[in-house]
Amino acid sequence: MDLNQKEIQKTLNTNKIWVPVLLGLGIVGYMFYQNPENLASMSELRKAKIGPLVLSFFVILARDAGYVYRIRTLTEQKLTWVRSIYVIILWEFASAVTPSVVGGTAVAIFILLKEKIKLGSATAYVMLTSILDNAFFIIFAPLVLLYTGLDVFPVVKLISINTSLQSLFWVSYGLIALYCFIFSYALFIKPRGFKWVLLKVTSWRPFRRWRKGAYEYGNDILGASANLRGKPASYWMKIIVSTVFVWSARYLMLNCLISSFVDVDFADQMRIFASQIVMWIIMLISPTPGSSGTAEFFFNEFFNQYLGNLTFVTSIVWRMLSYYPYLILGAIFLPRWVRQRFFKNSKS
């Protein structure tokens, strides 16, 4: 695992928040320019139903509580509740300021190392989290497509034909499935075989410059696999259930939010939930930090059929609840965490 501290510390930098903020403001400005009526729709905020709006806030809090519970369970209570909160906030911040296609795996391992988790364990916990998250998409995406059919894909204005968006979805889904298969194989089936493949590939002339890194990464995988061996069934049940919970809560938040603006029946609620899974898989290959700009654009395409002229204002509230808080919390918690873990021996 490439744990270049200088590169990671560049990511864990509060100045990073300006790039996604400017990208988000850019796409909002473009939407204003394309449709000036979007500005008038902002007045519709006062008509939102308070009950579902408040519920959406509590659902996102429940999701974050689920993340904190999962990381503490993953580490077998080696992290206190307070340190688990720090880890999740910084992990979410790192994800918010890095492209979705890149992810924050190395940063997450670095954070756990600074929280006095050994390298083998930190690698195991982060890789297992990534595998479980991706497995959620692999399992649930076909199920929601069976329920909704391919008409869940909108006709996107920037893509000439509908099948192009479907192709983008399947490319992203295939990459997720491949990632999940390779690292599940490496962690649970043949960690030594995985290391052997890495060394074999990097013995070829074009890849020799990465041989040392491949050797170290292979050792990290071996250590991670050893750390996960022999865990009781209760351990796996808790982290699997918490994974399903946190992702379901993430999506149900938008269901609540849409319900605060328009009336939707149960069938539409299910389609909204399904649309989010499809949209999220597409956004996973976004090149922008935290899918800024990409998220706002696809939200309009996927949910305009339910929200109509309320789509724009709902998308802003959605991002204000699900994305920007982690930029703000990261900017607040990061300096304190750096002081604790780099400049003094804190027991907090």
Side-chain angles (χ1 to χ4, degrees), residues 131-144:
I131 289 171
L132 289 170
D133 288 342
N134 285 298
F136 176 89
F137 295 117
I138 292 170
I139 294 169
F140 280 90
L143 294 178
V144 299

Side-chain angles (χ1 to χ4, degrees), residues 140-161:
F140 280 90
L143 294 178
V144 299
L145 286 178
L146 282 173
Y147 177 80
T148 62
L150 294 179
D151 60 341
V152 71
F153 293 97
V155 179
V156 178
K157 296 173 185 176
L158 293 185
I159 301 177
S160 58
I161 54 174

